[in-house]
Amino acid sequence: MRRLTWRFWWTALVLLTLARLGFVAWQWPRVSAVNGLWPVMWGGLRFDLVILGMMIALPAGLSPWFGQFALAERLTVWWYRICWFLLVFFEVLTPQFIIEYDSRPNRIFFQYLGHPREVFGMIWEGYRGVLIGALALIGLLVWIGFRLLRPGRPDRALRWWLRPIVCLALVAFCVMSIRGTLDHRPINAATVAFGNDAMVNTLPLSGFWNVVNAAYMATNEKSAFDLYGKMPVEEATRLVREAAGLEGAPMDARLPSLHFQRSTSPRDKPLNLVIIIQESLGAQYSARLGGQGLTPALDALADQGWWFERAYATGTRSVRGLEAITTGFLPTPADAVLILPKAETGFFTLGELLGRHGYFSRFVYGGEAHFDNMRSFFLGNGFDEVVDRPKFVAPQFVGSWGASDEDMFNQVDRLLRDDARAGRRTLTVAFSVSNHSPWEYPPGRIEPQGDPATVANTVRYADWALGEFFRKAPEAPYWENTVFLIVADHDARVSGSLVPVRHFHIPALILGPGIAPKSDRQIISQVDLAPTLLSLIGLDTVHPMLGHDLTRGGGNRAMMQFGDNYGYLSGDRLVVLEPGKPPRNSRYVAPAEYTPVDPDPALEREALAHVLWPSWAYAAERYALPPQPK
């Protein structure tokens, strides 16, 4: 057992080191930009010793007592073969994960495991060659490992008095390897984070370690208090209320963000509301926002409504965007509330609020709405209907992730016409699906540039579908009494610095009756949109949202959660909070200029309050509407 343990230890160490060197060579421009060769390789060695210490601890500790038995040798062989397979699997998985998510495998790996049909369909249709190559490489490396890790002669039996000494020495070695340091606290991911490129900071962490750590973190919902520091809840409440422009004492002591919002456009008959959430449509694609010019239809619509030039997403995944847009909830380092258990029911949404004002609310999605728990969340929190792919009437094109964007818009048009005939007021939240790998869309709609299956061509198609809907909608019976919001959930493939602000930049446009065309340069967040829409549809409301009603001004700040890093942008000042580290202060000039500046203690406290308060509000179940009188 001892010889086998030693053979596994050095073989696995060589595997992980060579893989890391390969990733460094592949990502050399980004690694060299932060002088990262030595930090990546030295930090990687430390973390490899951590994971190998975990893997050998049990066999090594038992070897002085049972190593002389052939059965123990054979069991140990299979233990190490399984460990070898896991190391190989996640190292081979890492390159594609970096391409898709700009990180080593993390908690997204587990979230996608819950949706095997959609994920396998995406991989098979869009990455068939990559999949076959990866399986071949895994097979080769597993074969090599199995050849190296074969049963040998059992260990020579140790004298009885020597066994506890050797056992203690081996266990001590494993414990020190796992702990990784003689410091007061054991090693963690922050120990080897050294630069402002979040992806490069994950290179010292083996793929298997990162996934195991994600699984461990998933056993308890992350609290911002554990990551960023402490602050009395009373102070955090006061600071977030002040930043939202709320004055006086809270309306309800149990729901401290609850407040009355008076509409700036009061109406006897409030308008309908349609929110169109575009998948992965970052500012990088819009010429109006300094991007590639792939969205001519959206850019043309910008001249017809309230166009926000500096709107920022709260996160990098769809559920985070849905959270901000439909609930106004501030981002936290935990998962978005759509997939957290305490938000299954009793959590505030626009659907519940407008339902109390006589609206019928629905969520329309081209895919399967069980993905990311969307169906359960919306139906559990005030929405009346979920219309997903199985309920679509005669879709023309269905890809790996669901029905095409034009099919989604056709369903929205059909439903809105039915609502107009029935004379009912409605909230419709429609979430597109086409702009997602493997980049599938119906033929004949656009003229593809180069390879049809690219993100650029899919963006062109998504923009075409959006333009077709708004070309026809002004003639529809619902047009004159509906306010429309077009907004992205997040940018595509976010990467870069500790909080890459330019990759949170998204388009946002409000169209509708009485909305004067204008281009707005103020900084806004996705959480500002819902309060603004309530004002524009002419409804006085009581709600807990902490975003600004932009019809009254406000804005000028945005919150961005990027993994475990949190960015708070106020004017040109950016505060970045990292786990276990002092805040970083920069002057930010779009699109990507960061200049370190002296700390601003007041702004740092404001940033901390904005990430701590929602963690507390979720855990304490304080983000809701009061019960309706019976």
Side-chain angles (χ1 to χ4, degrees):
M1 288 175 68
R2 291 189 294 276
R3 284 191 296 271
L4 187 61
T5 296
W6 165 243
R7 195 182 315 141
F8 169 78
W9 186 88
W10 72 258
T11 304
L13 190 61
V14 169
L15 169 74
L16 295 173
T17 301
L18 290 177
R20 188 172 291 107
L21 279 171
F23 300 147
V24 166
W26 173 42
Q27 296 290 337
W28 180 246
R30 293 175 65 174
V31 173
S32 61
V34 291
N35 296 317
L37 178 60
W38 172 249
V40 166
M41 298 310 297
W42 170 241
L45 175 61
R46 295 177 67 187
F47 263 93
D48 291 347
L49 295 179
V50 169
I51 201 67
L52 294 180
M54 293 177 179
M55 288 179 167
I56 71 171
L58 183 62
L62 294 176
S63 64
W65 309 98
F66 302 103
Q68 66 272 25
F69 300 113
L71 177 60
E73 179 81 1
R74 286 195 293 272
L75 291 174
T76 304
V77 164
W78 280 103
W79 169 261
Y80 285 140
R81 284 178 172 179
I82 292 170
C83 292
W84 175 265
F85 170 78
L86 291 172
L87 293 176
V88 165
F89 177 79
F90 285 104
E91 291 307 294
V92 173
L93 185 66
T94 290
Q96 192 61 35
F97 216 89
I98 288 176
I99 290 171
E100 291 292 330
Y101 303 108
D102 208 50
S103 171
R104 281 200 185 254
N106 53 27
R107 65 187 182 188
I108 297 175
F109 176 81
F110 292 105
Q111 291 166 2
Y112 276 7
L113 282 182
H115 310 282
R117 189 181 70 82
E118 292 91 340
V119 173
F120 183 78
M122 174 189 72
I123 293 172
W124 184 248
E125 292 298 330
Y127 305 99
R128 195 172 306 173
V130 174
L131 175 63
I132 293 171
L135 290 175
L137 181 57
I138 289 171
L140 174 63
L141 293 174
V142 166
W143 179 81
I144 292 172
F146 278 32
R147 296 286 296 173
L148 291 171
L149 301 170
R150 291 182 293 178
R153 293 194 320 272
D155 297 339
R156 182 169 57 85
L158 296 175
R159 296 181 180 180
W160 67 268
W161 58 268
L162 195 57
R163 292 178 184 179
I165 297 174
V166 174
C167 177
L168 182 62
L170 291 172
V171 169
F173 172 78
C174 292
V175 169
M176 289 309 302
S177 292
I178 295 168
R179 202 171 190 282
T181 179
L182 294 174
D183 292 340
H184 177 65
R185 295 182 181 276
I187 194 171
N188 58 44
T191 309
V192 297
F194 61 91
N196 63 359
D197 189 320
M199 185 281 294
V200 176
N201 285 344
T202 69
L203 292 184
L205 316 172
S206 69
F208 181 64
W209 187 93
N210 218 36
V211 168
V212 169
N213 185 60
Y216 169 75
M217 297 301 292
T219 59
N220 56 75
E221 295 155 8
K222 286 186 181 180
S223 169
F225 289 84
D226 297 331
L227 293 180
Y228 305 126
K230 309 296 182 183
M231 175 184 288
V233 171
E234 295 77 15
E235 182 182 358
T237 300
R238 176 180 61 81
L239 288 173
V240 297
R241 282 179 58 87
E242 288 177 357
L246 305 183
E247 300 175 350
M251 290 180 64
D252 186 323
R254 189 181 176 280
L255 305 171
S257 66
L258 195 72
H259 63 280
F260 174 73
Q261 178 185 325
R262 186 177 299 281
S263 170
T264 55
S265 308
R267 294 174 180 270
D268 294 334
K269 295 182 66 175
L271 302 174
N272 299 318
L273 178 57
V274 175
I275 298 175
I276 297 169
I277 302 173
Q278 293 288 101
E279 170 72 55
S280 303
L281 194 70
Q284 61 175 301
Y285 303 122
S286 165
R288 291 286 296 257
L289 298 176
Q292 301 170 40
L294 303 180
T295 60
L298 175 62
D299 291 347
L301 285 171
D303 292 325
Q304 302 175 31
W306 189 355
W307 174 251
F308 296 97
E309 295 187 21
R310 298 197 65 188
Y312 291 94
T314 57
T316 60
R317 291 202 63 217
S318 297
V319 282
R320 184 111 278 163
L322 289 168
E323 169 191 65
I325 296 163
T326 64
T327 77
F329 196 58
L330 307 180
T332 73
D335 282 321
V337 293
L338 274 73
I339 50 181
L340 293 181
K342 288 185 178 179
E344 284 285 326
T345 59
F347 198 88
F348 171 80
T349 68
L350 280 177
E352 182 187 13
L353 175 63
L354 293 181
R356 296 190 179 191
H357 290 268
Y359 281 69
F360 180 88
S361 58
R362 67 168 64 92
F363 176 69
V364 182
Y365 178 54
E368 302 273 356
H370 66 268
F371 189 79
D372 276 338
N373 202 47
M374 292 184 286
R375 179 191 302 278
S376 294
F377 177 80
F378 288 122
L379 292 179
N381 290 293
F383 278 70
D384 299 294
E385 180 182 35
V386 170
V387 181
D388 62 355
R389 161 66 189 88
K391 294 184 178 180
F392 275 26
V393 176
Q396 300 299 303
F397 181 88
V398 178
S400 300
W401 282 93
S404 69
D405 284 9
E406 65 190 274
D407 285 312
M408 181 204 74
F409 283 119
N410 288 339
Q411 307 307 311
V412 170
D413 177 72
R414 174 179 62 83
L415 294 167
L416 293 179
R417 288 176 183 273
D418 290 346
D419 295 335
R421 282 192 291 268
R424 65 179 176 183
R425 285 185 292 178
T426 58
L427 162 67
T428 300
V429 177
F431 181 28
S432 73
V433 74
S434 290
N435 189 28
H436 197 297
S437 61
W439 323 123
E440 300 167 295
Y441 52 90
R445 273 55 169 185
I446 63 167
E447 187 66 36
Q449 303 295 313
D451 180 3
T454 63
V455 62
N457 283 322
T458 311
V459 169
R460 291 187 180 97
Y461 166 73
D463 180 69
W464 174 88
L466 177 74
E468 283 296 293
F469 174 77
F470 278 101
R471 182 177 64 82
K472 300 171 184 175
E475 306 302 320
Y478 52 78
W479 178 259
E480 291 300 328
N481 62 353
T482 304
V483 169
F484 295 86
L485 166 67
I486 306 167
V487 63
D489 56 350
H490 57 83
D491 194 7
R493 292 185 177 176
V494 178
S495 63
S497 61
L498 293 174
V499 176
V501 176
R502 69 188 178 94
H503 281 304
F504 286 77
H505 189 196
I506 57 172
L509 171 67
I510 300 175
L511 300 161
I515 298 175
K518 64 177 176 178
S519 189
D520 194 328
R521 284 284 302 162
Q522 67 178 322
I523 293 171
I524 71 159
S525 170
Q526 280 174 326
V527 300
D528 297 322
L529 295 171
T532 304
L533 293 169
L534 292 175
S535 201
L536 290 173
I537 64 175
L539 205 60
D540 295 340
T541 53
V542 172
H543 62 73
M545 293 186 288
L546 289 163
H548 294 118
D549 173 2
L550 298 171
T551 66
R552 299 179 181 275
N556 205 41
R557 60 96 173 90
M559 295 136 281
M560 291 156 272
Q561 190 74 44
F562 186 49
D564 284 342
N565 296 338
Y566 178 85
Y568 189 82
L569 179 65
S570 179
D572 66 349
R573 293 292 296 254
L574 175 67
V575 174
V576 175
L577 305 180
E578 302 171 77
K581 293 186 177 182
R584 299 194 189 210
N585 289 258
S586 303
R587 175 166 286 106
Y588 173 73
V589 178
E593 181 182 325
Y594 303 84
T595 306
V597 294
D598 291 336
D600 183 338
L603 188 60
E604 289 176 1
R605 297 294 285 176
E606 185 176 321
L608 183 60
H610 277 78
V611 73
L612 295 183
W613 189 87
S615 273
W616 169 80
Y618 166 76
E621 300 181 78
R622 303 297 180 88
Y623 194 77
L625 292 175
Q628 294 192 79
K630 294 184 179 179

